Amino acid sequence: EILPLADFIRLYYPPDTPYCFKYEDGNQPYDMLVVDDQNNEIERIEVTKVIDGHSEKTSTTELTDKGMTTFSPNNKDASDLLKEILLKKQSKGNYVNCKLVIYMVERELVFYDVNEMIEIIRRYADNTFTGIFLVERGSSDGNPTKIVYAHYS
């Protein structure tokens, strides 16, 4: 979660921002608090990656238990995963004053179409979050990390 949060902060907030960013580890409905110099909460940030959580957990368990695992890219379509993520988060409904950052990493997905992902956000977004941001991680071939889409409620 730290790298996606750091990338988003660098891209979204100006370098001279007066805010502080506090990472929150645990089960609360956000990953980072944005606070002012008096420690007053400004907003919250929740970050997620479009991955198949079940496959990810299975691989992690294998790695922990056996010391090795087989690489298996997501078997599910990225757009189906994104729909599942948005609907699951909306069903929780406790994201007060919170932005959602959807972090896309090409090597973790077999294939995804950015325009299709944007259309899914437009179709499934509601007022659960103050904003939904699609962030695409840069690659070693020179493509920079960037916010490719921002949806505001």
Side-chain angles (χ1 to χ4, degrees), residues 9-10 18 28 32 35 38 44-45 51 57 64 67 79 82 92 97 107 116 132 151:
I9 289 167
R10 182 180 51 79
Q28 70 286 341
M32 183 165 284
V35 297
Q38 301 296 312
R44 299 169 179 187
I45 301 171
I51 59 171
K57 184 176 181 180
T64 302
S79 46
L82 180 57
K92 290 182 180 179
N97 193 29
R107 65 179 166 70
E116 188 175 332
I132 300 176
H151 177 91

Side-chain angles (χ1 to χ4, degrees), residues 50 77-80 82 104 106 109-121 134 136 148-149:
V50 180
D77 180 79
S79 46
D80 289 337
L82 180 57
M104 306 289 293
E106 187 175 8
L109 299 165
V110 175
F111 173 77
Y112 66 92
D113 179 325
V114 171
N115 292 323
E116 188 175 332
M117 304 306 263
I118 291 169
E119 185 54 36
I120 289 166
I121 293 170
L134 186 61
E136 193 171 49
V148 293
Y149 180 69

Side-chain angles (χ1 to χ4, degrees), residues 30-95:
Y30 57 90
D31 297 309
M32 183 165 284
L33 283 175
V34 181
V35 297
D36 65 15
D37 60 354
Q38 301 296 312
N39 209 33
N40 297 311
E41 183 179 313
I42 303 300
E43 62 189 354
R44 299 169 179 187
I45 301 171
E46 168 73 358
V47 69
T48 190
K49 291 167 103 181
V50 180
I51 59 171
D52 182 352
H54 177 72
S55 296
E56 184 85 1
K57 184 176 181 180
T58 301
S59 293
T60 302
T61 302
E62 278 183 0
L63 187 60
T64 302
D65 293 347
K66 300 176 184 174
M68 59 183 236
T69 187
T70 54
F71 172 76
S72 58
N74 285 323
N75 294 325
K76 292 185 179 179
D77 180 79
S79 46
D80 289 337
L81 287 168
L82 180 57
K83 284 181 217 172
E84 287 176 23
I85 288 166
L86 289 173
L87 292 172
K88 183 178 178 180
K89 289 193 178 294
Q90 289 168 2
S91 71
K92 290 182 180 179
N94 56 352
Y95 294 97

